[in-house]
Amino acid sequence: MASHRKPRPTGTRVAGIRTPALATAALTSVALLSQTADATPSDEDRPSLEEVEKKVDDLYRQAGSATEKYNAAKEKTAKQRKRVNNLLNDVAQRTQKLNEAREKLGSFASAQYRTGAAVPQTATFLLADSPQDYFDQNQLMSRLTGRQKDAVDDYVTQQSETMKKRREATESLQTLTDSQNDLKTAKATVQKKLATARELLSELTAEEKARLAAIEKKKQEEAARKAAELAQQQAEERERQQREREQADRQESGSGGSGGTSSGTGTTEPSAPDASHGTKAEKALAFARAQIGKPYVWGATGPGSYDCSGLTQAAWKAAGVTLPRTTYDQVDAGTTVPVSQAQPGDLVFFYDDLGHVGLYIGNGMMIHAPKPGAYVREESIYYDGEGSIHSVVRPA
C-alpha cells in the first residue's frame, strides 16, 4: 500500500538540519549582532555622570527661577483680584446711585404726565441714548426747574462715572485673566523642570548615585574652604577697621576736633550696621534657625515649608521688617554691599536671573531653602561656586 505521508522538503532540511555547524554559527552571529545593536546606542547615547549632574543642577536652577516667576504671578493675581473686587463693588454702588437718579427723573416725568405738561420732552429725554446731547436743546432746558436741573445733572454724572468704572472693571478682569494664565504657565514650567530632574536621577544606578554623592561631597568641601577664606578676610577687615577707629580716636583726642574715617578708595564704603539693625538681624536669624529641617516647597511661605524667598521674607518679617515676596523685588529692598563686607542678616542673591536667595549668618555661611527634595539648612554661600553669587543686600 502506498504511503500517505507527505514528502519532506529536502532543501530546507539540508539547510536547517543537516548542517548543524553552519546553523550554530549563524545563530551565534545573529545573537552577537543583536547584542551589539542593543548595547552600542545605549553606551554612546547615555550621558556621563558629570553631564547628568550638570543637567540636574541646571534644571533645579531653572525651576528656582520659574518658582520666582510663579511667586510674582501669584502676587500680581492676588492684587489684581482685589482691584477687580473693589471695582465691581464700586460699580454696584454707582449703579444704585444711577438707579436712584433715574427714579427721581421718573417722578418728574410722572408729575408732568399728570399735569399734561412737557410730556414729549421728558419722555424723549428718559429714552435718549445720550441725555447730555438732548440737554443742549434750549427748549427742554428752559422748561426745567432748578430742582429738576440738579436731578438731571446728577443723573448724567452718575451715568458717566458708572460707565467709566465698568470699563475699568472690564479691563481689570482681562488683566486678571492674563495674570492667571501667567500663573498657570509658571506652575507648569516648574513642574516640568522638576519632573525631568527626578527622571534623570531615577535612571542612575546605585554605583552612579554613590559617585554622584562623592562629587557633591567634594563640592561641599571646596565651598567650605572658600567660606573659611571669606571668614578670615572678614576677620582681618574688622581688625583693620578697629585699628583705624582707634587711630582716629587718638588723633581726635590730640587735636580736639572731630571727623569721620574714609576708606581712601574713592568709593563709598558701607558703614557697619547700627545697633537697631543688628537687633533686627538677630531676630531674623533666630527665626531662620528655627526653620532648619523644614522642607523646601516651591511657592511656600511657611510655617511648615518654604521656598527660598519665602524663607527670607518670613525671617525678616519676624524682625518687624517687611520684604517683598520675590527675589526680583527683594534685591532692591536695601543697600548693596560687597561680599567681603557681608554682615549677619544680609541677603545673598545667586545667579544672573536672581533665581535664589539665602540669609547670611557670618563666616561665609548662610541659611537657605535650597531646592525641591531638600530641607532648610546652613550652607556655604559658595555652595554652587563663587561665580554663582550675584550680590549681597542689607535690608533697610
Side-chain angles (χ1 to χ4, degrees), residues 60 293-297 306 369-377:
Y60 278 133
K294 293 184 178 181
Y296 174 104
V297 175
Y306 297 89
K371 60 185 179 181
Y375 298 84
V376 176
R377 66 193 183 202

Side-chain angles (χ1 to χ4, degrees), residues 18-37:
R18 293 184 178 177
T19 55
L22 180 59
T24 301
L27 290 172
T28 302
S29 299
V30 170
L32 290 174
L33 287 173
S34 176
Q35 292 174 2
T36 303

